[in-house]
């Protein structure tokens, strides 16, 4: 028996219930693979977004088990933009981005690949983050 949708949670309790369209789609893909006898897809990075008036909030990952939090403030014409990064060691677990779509996309890629980051570079709004489609090697941990 299978249950799929944004009101379900995993049987093993490994993840909290993720009430989002993307969570339901990821569950459907996993269930379809099991039903058809194929290997399930690798776990996806959970994410969601919400528009609140003139602002967009985007979150990737889950902020559980972090040991550091890094704030990346916007600069110049993007002064209102900001992102909050949750790290365990030098790995990104979660990014919460307000009007910072590039930070969100880079964060999803860093979570998916497990690429180490340098927190000082991550906090610097002038340090360029790599887009999701490019290598995240620019944020590889380096001495601070």
């Amino acid at each position: 028996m299978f249950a799929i949708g944004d009101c379900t949670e995993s049987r093993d309790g490994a993840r909290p219930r993720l009430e989002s369209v993307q969570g339901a789609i990821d569950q459907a893909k996993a269930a379809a693979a099991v039903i058809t006898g194929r290997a399930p897809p690798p776990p996806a990075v959970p994410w969601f977004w919400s528009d609140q008036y003139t602002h967009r909030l985007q979150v990737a990952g889950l902020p559980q088990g972090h040991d550091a939090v890094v704030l990346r403030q916007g600069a110049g014409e993007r002064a209102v933009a900001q992102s909050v990064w949750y790290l365990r060691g030098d790995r990104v677990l979660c990014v919460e981005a307000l009007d910072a779509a590039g930070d969100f996309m880079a964060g999803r890629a860093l979570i998916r690949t497990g690429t180490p980051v340098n927190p000082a570079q991550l906090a610097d709004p002038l340090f360029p983050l790599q887009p999701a489609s490019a290598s995240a090697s620019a944020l590889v941990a380096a001495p601070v």
Side-chain angles (χ1 to χ4, degrees):
M1 182 183 307
F2 294 91
I4 300 167
D6 61 0
C7 64
T8 63
E9 60 188 31
S10 66
R11 293 180 90 183
D12 62 7
R15 266 197 191 175
R17 186 173 69 219
L18 301 173
E19 298 178 9
S20 69
V21 171
Q22 190 59 47
I25 291 169
D26 293 342
Q27 290 175 14
K29 289 177 182 178
V34 171
I35 290 168
T36 60
R38 293 179 290 140
V45 174
W47 65 275
F48 79 94
W49 62 269
S50 179
D51 287 332
Q52 299 295 317
Y53 299 99
T54 61
H55 300 287
R56 174 160 287 177
L57 173 66
Q58 296 170 290
V59 179
L62 299 171
Q64 300 170 333
H66 65 279
D67 56 24
V69 178
V70 174
L71 175 63
R72 182 179 174 97
Q73 289 286 130
E77 59 190 44
R78 293 191 53 224
V80 71
Q82 63 179 335
S83 54
V84 179
W85 300 75
Y86 297 85
L87 309 176
R88 182 182 308 131
D90 60 359
R91 311 296 172 143
V92 177
L93 298 177
C94 178
V95 61
E96 298 171 343
L98 176 66
D99 296 331
D103 291 6
F104 166 74
M105 295 302 290
R108 275 184 70 190
L110 291 166
I111 295 165
R112 185 178 58 251
T113 62
T115 303
V117 298
N118 178 320
Q121 290 175 336
L122 196 59
D124 180 356
L126 301 177
F127 185 83
L129 297 177
Q130 298 292 324
S133 61
S135 164
S137 62
L139 290 173
V140 171
V144 180

